């Protein structure tokens, strides 16, 4: 090993250490609020409201969790939220991925119009469309059913745009070779484009899952039966007009982050470099 | 007889549509059908309805009366609408570039880590803010942004006397931007990481052999290669920032005074507190026109800096 | 086999008989237990009606209400407040309620009046929810401050707050929740009415104008001084905790809040709280504000008759009234169930609440048909908020509020 190599290596090690240092600093900023949330879930209300704040509860107590389960049907809401979010996110991908691919790669009449209407759906604030959508859902007779929650959410301009952008940046050459070999566009989509976009699809699925996991206004408006309610609505109902029991709310918030972390663990292997590059080389 | 010639050309043109073309159109129709149907029914139709509503004095319950463009005329002269718009634009200028820069920087740093397990750890950590439920997080940030809260404590260590973030009209929008960047950069990081991973490693090796410095490699290889993702994140965060609602609602409820009342929050209050659904719809359309204008500019400008299909 | 068939027949008969299901919707989660107990009792005494309880969080209650009413399907019985009542009533979204003569006579006119339009009743008032003063007796004792009596004055309150503002074990204890006492909102307005105020909007002939007069300015200054001059209340510079949170944590001596906070104090068993009389301003009779919510029956309800039975039962029947009072909640005919209420809150000086009820005021009761009222009040509140957060001088805030309110009130014509 020459001296030059050794010094290069040392410099590389140094820059790696600097990166880790910087990222760790950032992580603290990210994690502190979480630590606060989790610690508050174990405090008594008096402790939680003390000012200046105290970090650690004097006595770790599970009372907030017990009270949470007494106040709202947590398990039922949790279950409803999990299955509807997973289903909606998956349906999103199933409807959006083919559409995004067609918009990115194929040429057909009305292309701009149809793609434009997907984009338009992102531009108008929901505050003024929510009542018209509600009237439509009522007209269809879906009020207070999971259909009302799921069906209007299947198509997503957001997901289509996200995947469109990824398909567009894929090298054309691979698909072209399929076409030249006599394959159809469909074959190109199934065997080249989709595997290559695994990472983007995983990301889109995750964002959609999170969006649905956290949404409360639409579920609250179209659902009524308490046995159909979702978790964010339950957490919202812990807040009263003039007061909120913060420790109980934090207990609920802490528990409600668990599935999102699990969802992440589930898709994260697709987000990694290996999957994408192998797709490209595939 | 006069029309025979053009008709003949039309027929000829029709005949020229190759079977390949027709197959492509058919496939495309099939692929976009489910999504387009959904968008038409649950987005375009309600959006069209909101356009219709914006031409009425509808309050939400009674029979609407047609008022023409009156709501739009009112909006252009409404001082609260213009101040809401200026708050929104300030917020966009604060949050969008910062968010983009921070998420890109963090993604590049994480991507440059050699140890795979470190990449996994940091990627997970920076994803975390996205997973929390809005209200709970907002309550946390009210504590963090308090005059003697954690943020100012840290600023104090750096010798900076922190402001009263949420209690001051000039600092409340920056505070909301800090919160949004904290909560929103995870999305950018995930997208950038996925994109960075697809940049072929041999390009860097070639550049290194040519003696390129790390920044040059970033500027001339990484950035062009991931430019479609930069465009994507830019557009998504622009759309999100121009419609910013929940962050201001839960953090500051538009205050102090109306200093953090954004357009979306004003629309919300107009529709559900003041019972002016017609006027709210007009405001929403004016916001949408600004947004669509910005999108068109971005879309046109793409060709100058976004590279698709480089390999 | 025969037995099963018979059983089935009996079952189907009994389901046919158990007819009506109605939905009850409220935003007030603090009284969920009481409401559920009431509903259980009602279901028992009315086998032909089954009521379902729905808690719709305050943060989204009005959106849900608007969507449902617009969509033509609604709850059968809903909580309504005075801010939203005029809109729903004027749009024909509420069904008129007919009470029998005896019940009508029993209900105090002052509480039904806000829900009467053209001599017709559209809502049956729930119990009054007055703004009250709470004190932390342990802190009073510790600082040697006398417990307030019926003759308590505003100046005595400030003096007490000064003594109660101190540092203890590194924690800042504050005298009073000044940040909540914005003079145009219900807590602060209680002092404004007590100082002789008569309303923030004045009607002359057929037009309305803002009336932020000398009484308003003077009261506002007094309340604002609690934060910035007397420094006995945490302002936005001091803490992010809200007043009630500091009171709950034992870090605040005096708290001006609504009677509905009683169940919240249960969260801290060590808190030695009690009601205190409202202080008098300038020797005048205190006039605290009451929130006057009501139960309404939406016009879209398919079971109006059953809904009306529930509304009447909940708000006037002796059984329901007694149950509420026993839970420490004021029933509609509060005065008749005083003893139950006092028993539910022993040693909390609860008779004070009753002493002040006859003098209480309903905010803007006479302005309900002003169409832009919610918008005008929002503008006012935003301007005053600038003064309260120390970002504007009070006279400027009042002047600007007046101008903007007048503009809105003019366009309303």
């Amino acid at each position: 090993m020459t001296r030059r190599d050794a010094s290069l290596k040392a410099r590389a090690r140094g820059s790696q250490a600097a990166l880790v240092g910087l990222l760790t600093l950032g992580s603290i900023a990210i994690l502190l609020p979480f630590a606060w949330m989790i610690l508050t879930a174990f405090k008594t209300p008096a402790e939680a409201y003390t000012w200046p704040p105290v970090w650690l509860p004097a006595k770790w107590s599970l009372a907030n969790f017990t009270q949470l389960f007494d106040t709202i049907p947590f398990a039922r809401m949790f279950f409803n939220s999990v299955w509807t979010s997973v289903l909606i996110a998956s349906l999103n991908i199933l409807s959006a991925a083919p559409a995004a691919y067609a918009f990115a790669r194929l040429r057909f009449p009305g292309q701009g119009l149809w793609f434009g209407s997907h984009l338009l759906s992102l531009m108008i604030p929901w505050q003024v469309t929510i009542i018209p959508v509600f009237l439509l859902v009522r007209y269809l007779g879906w009020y207070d059913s999971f259909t009302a929650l799921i069906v209007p959410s299947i198509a997503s301009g957001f997901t289509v745009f996200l995947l469109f952008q990824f398909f567009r940046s894929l090298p054309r050459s691979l698909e072209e070779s399929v076409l030249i070999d006599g394959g159809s566009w469909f074959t190109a989509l199934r065997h080249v484009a989709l595997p290559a976009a695994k990472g983007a699809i995983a990301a889109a699925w995750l964002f959609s899952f999170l969006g649905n996991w956290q949404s409360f206004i639409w579920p609250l408006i179209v659902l009524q039966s308490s046995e159909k309610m979702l978790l964010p609505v339950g957490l919202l109902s812990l807040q009263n007009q003039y007061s909120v029991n913060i420790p109980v709310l934090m207990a609920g918030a802490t528990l409600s982050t668990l599935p999102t972390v699990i969802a992440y663990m589930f898709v994260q292997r697709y987000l990694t470099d290996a999957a994408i590059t192998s797709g490209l080389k595939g | 007889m006069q029309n025979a010639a053009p008709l003949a050309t039309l027929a000829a043109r029709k005949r020229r549509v190759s079977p390949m073309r027709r197959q492509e159109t058919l496939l495309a129709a099939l692929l976009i059908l489910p999504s387009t149907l959904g968008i038409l029914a649950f987005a375009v139709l309600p959006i069209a309805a909101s356009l219709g509503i914006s031409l009425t004095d509808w309050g939400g319950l009674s029979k609407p009366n047609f008022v023409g463009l009156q709501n739009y005329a009112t909006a252009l002269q409404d001082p609260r609408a213009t101040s809401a718009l200026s708050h929104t634009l300030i917020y966009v200028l604060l949050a969008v570039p910062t968010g983009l820069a921070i998420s890109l920087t963090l993604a590049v740093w994480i991507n440059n880590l050699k140890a795979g397990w470190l990449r996994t750890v940091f990627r997970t950590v920076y994803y975390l803010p996205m997973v929390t439920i809005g209200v709970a997080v907002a309550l946390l940030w009210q504590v963090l942004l308090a005059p003697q809260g954690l943020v100012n404590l840290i600023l104090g260590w750096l010798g900076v006397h922190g402001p009263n973030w949420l209690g001051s009209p000039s600092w409340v929008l920056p505070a909301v931007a800090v919160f949004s960047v904290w909560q929103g950069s995870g999305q950018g990081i995930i997208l950038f990481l996925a994109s960075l991973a697809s940049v072929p490693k041999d390009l860097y090796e070639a550049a290194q052999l040519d003696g390129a410095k790390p920044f040059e490699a970033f500027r001339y290889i990484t950035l062009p290669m991931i430019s479609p993702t930069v465009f994507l994140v830019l557009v998504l965060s622009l759309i999100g920032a121009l419609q910013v609602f929940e962050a201001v609602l839960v953090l500051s409820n538009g205050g102090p005074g109306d200093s953090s009342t954004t357009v979306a929050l004003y629309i919300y209050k107009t529709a559900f507190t003041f019972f002016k659904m017609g006027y709210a719809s007009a405001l929403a359309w004016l916001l949408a026109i600004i947004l669509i204008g910005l999108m068109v500019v971005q879309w046109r400008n793409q060709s100058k800096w976004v590279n698709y299909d480089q390999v | 086999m025969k037995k099963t068939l018979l059983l089935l027949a009996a079952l189907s008969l009994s389901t046919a008989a158990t007819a009506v299901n109605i939905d009850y919707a409220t935003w007030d989660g603090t009284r969920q237990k009481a409401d559920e107990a009431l509903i259980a009792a009602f279901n028992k005494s009315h086998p032909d009606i089954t009521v379902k309880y729905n808690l719709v969080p305050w943060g989204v209650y009005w959106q849900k209400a608007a969507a449902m009413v617009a969509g033509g399907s609604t709850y059968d019985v809903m909580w309504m407040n005075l801010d939203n009542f005029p809109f729903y009533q004027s749009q024909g979204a509420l069904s008129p309620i007919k009470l029998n003569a005896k019940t009508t006579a029993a209900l105090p006119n002052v509480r039904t009046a806000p829900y009467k339009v053209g001599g017709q009743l559209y809502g049956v008032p729930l119990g009054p929810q007055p703004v009250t003063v709470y004190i932390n007796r342990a802190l009073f004792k510790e600082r040697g401050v006398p417990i307030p009596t019926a003759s308590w004055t505003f100046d005595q309150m400030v003096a007490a707050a000064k003594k109660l503002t101190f540092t203890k074990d590194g924690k800042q204890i504050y005298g009073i929740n000044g940040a909540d006492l914005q003079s145009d909102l219900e807590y602060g307005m209680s002092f404004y009415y007590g100082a002789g105020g008569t309303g923030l909007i004045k009607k002359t002939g057929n037009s309305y104008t803002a009336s932020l007069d000398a009484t308003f300015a003077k009261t506002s200054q007094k309340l604002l001084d609690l934060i910035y001059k007397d420094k006995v209340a945490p302002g936005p510079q001091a803490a992010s905790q809200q007043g009630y949170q500091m009171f709950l944590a034992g870090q605040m001596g005096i708290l001006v809040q609504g009677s509905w906070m009683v169940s919240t104090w249960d969260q801290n068993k060590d808190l030695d709280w009690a009601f205190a009389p409202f202080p008098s301003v300038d020797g005048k009779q205190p006039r605290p504000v009451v929130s006057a919510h009501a139960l309404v029956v939406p016009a879209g309800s398919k079971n109006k008759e059953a809904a009306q039975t529930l509304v009447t039962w909940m708000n006037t029947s002796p059984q329901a009234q007694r149950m509420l009072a026993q839970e420490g909640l004021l029933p509609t005919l509060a005065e008749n169930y005083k003893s139950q209420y006092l028993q539910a809150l022993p040693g909390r000086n609860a008779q004070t609440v009753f002493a002040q009820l006859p003098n209480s005021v309903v905010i803007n009761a006479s302005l309900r048909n002003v169409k832009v009222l919610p918008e005008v009040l929002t503008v006012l509140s935003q301007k005053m908020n600038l003064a309260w957060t120390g970002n504007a001088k009070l006279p400027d805030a009042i002047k600007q509020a007046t101008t903007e309110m007048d503009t809105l009130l003019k366009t309303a014509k």
Side-chain angles (χ1 to χ4, degrees), chain A residues 45-46 48-51 131 134-135 138 143 216-217 220-221 223-225 236-237 240-246, chain C residues 23 27 29-30 57-58 60 63-64 67-68 71 73 75 171 186-187 238 240-241 244-245 248-249 251 260 267:
Chain A
Y49 303 142
T50 298
W51 191 264
I131 300 264
F134 176 76
L135 296 181
R138 270 217 29 91
Y143 180 69
F216 58 88
I217 292 187
L220 190 97
I221 284 182
L223 298 177
Q224 179 169 336
S225 317
L236 196 68
S237 68
N240 287 302
Q241 187 180 1
Y242 297 100
S243 62
V244 43
N245 190 329
I246 290 185
Chain C
D23 274 294
W27 67 75
T30 60
W58 170 255
V60 282
Q63 273 179 50
K64 171 95 178 165
M68 291 191 79
S73 85
Y75 298 112
K171 287 191 222 160
E186 56 188 331
Y187 309 140
S240 70
Q241 310 300 66
Y244 81 89
Q245 295 173 337
L248 189 64
Q251 284 186 266
W260 54 85
Q267 290 174 24

Side-chain angles (χ1 to χ4, degrees), chain B residues 139 202 268:
Chain B
L139 287 168
D202 39 354
Y268 172 80

Side-chain angles (χ1 to χ4, degrees), chain B residues 293-307:
Chain B
L294 274 175
M295 283 308 112
V296 170
V297 172
Q298 295 292 345
W299 213 270
R300 293 247 165 94
N301 265 339
Q302 264 191 101
S303 57
K304 290 193 191 132
W305 62 278
V306 184
N307 304 289

Side-chain angles (χ1 to χ4, degrees), chain A residues 47-274:
Chain A
E47 268 176 329
Y49 303 142
T50 298
W51 191 264
V54 286
W55 275 93
L56 291 177
K59 202 176 132 247
W60 293 73
S61 141
L62 288 174
N64 296 319
F65 293 91
T66 332
Q67 202 189 329
L68 175 73
F69 298 140
D70 283 349
T71 319
I72 59 173
F74 189 88
R76 156 72 59 182
M77 288 174 161
F78 191 90
F79 172 73
N80 288 343
S81 274
V82 169
W83 80 259
T84 54
S85 303
V86 167
L87 182 64
I88 294 174
S90 309
L91 291 171
N92 260 191
I93 297 298
L94 284 179
S95 74
Y101 184 75
F103 288 131
R105 279 291 193 262
L106 306 182
R107 296 284 156 269
F108 52 96
Q111 190 168 17
L113 182 71
W114 303 126
F115 186 59
S117 58
H118 279 81
L119 287 185
L120 184 69
S121 72
L122 298 173
M123 311 274 179
I124 303 281
W126 61 262
Q127 287 90 346
V128 296
T129 52
I130 197 161
I131 300 264
V133 183
F134 176 76
L135 296 181
L136 179 62
V137 162
R138 270 217 29 91
Y139 173 78
L140 295 169
W142 295 347
Y143 180 69
D144 199 25
S145 73
F146 283 117
T147 316
L149 185 70
I150 295 164
V151 175
S153 314
I154 292 177
S156 157
F158 179 91
T159 313
V160 167
F161 178 49
L162 196 153
L163 293 178
F164 167 82
Q165 202 64 7
F166 264 89
F167 282 130
R168 246 180 123 188
S169 57
L170 280 182
R172 250 170 212 278
S173 43
L174 291 170
E175 293 153 81
E176 271 159 9
S177 65
V178 172
L179 294 178
I180 289 164
D181 290 352
S184 67
W185 276 106
F186 191 73
T187 325
L189 169 65
R190 249 202 81 194
H191 294 289
V192 180
L194 280 184
K198 247 187 219 164
I201 289 175
W205 186 89
L206 188 65
F207 296 156
S208 171
F209 173 83
L210 286 179
N212 290 298
W213 180 257
Q214 293 163 347
S215 81
F216 58 88
I217 292 187
W218 181 246
L220 190 97
I221 284 182
V222 293
L223 298 177
Q224 179 169 336
S225 317
S226 50
E227 66 273 12
K228 295 197 184 95
M229 275 307 167
L230 306 186
L231 194 52
V233 179
L235 293 187
L236 196 68
S237 68
L238 296 173
Q239 295 191 87
N240 287 302
Q241 187 180 1
Y242 297 100
S243 62
V244 43
N245 190 329
I246 290 185
V248 175
L249 181 66
M250 293 304 167
T254 303
L255 292 181
S256 80
T257 55
L258 286 179
T260 50
V261 175
I262 293 168
Y264 176 76
M265 297 298 174
F266 175 67
V267 299
Q268 92 132 349
R269 62 202 180 94
Y270 299 105
L271 296 171
T272 56
D273 20 10

Side-chain angles (χ1 to χ4, degrees), chain C residues 183 215-224 384 388 394 398:
Chain C
S183 50
T215 313
F216 181 73
K218 204 174 140 198
T219 317
S220 301
Q221 191 61 58
K222 269 188 179 178
L223 294 171
L224 203 52
M384 296 306 290
W388 243 257
L394 183 62
I398 293 180

Side-chain angles (χ1 to χ4, degrees), chain A residues 22-54:
Chain A
L22 285 168
L23 286 168
T24 308
L25 270 182
S27 303
I28 293 173
I30 293 288
L31 292 176
L32 268 180
F34 276 90
W36 183 258
M37 172 175 84
I38 295 166
L39 291 171
T40 306
F42 293 96
K43 290 178 192 167
T44 63
E47 268 176 329
Y49 303 142
T50 298
W51 191 264
V54 286

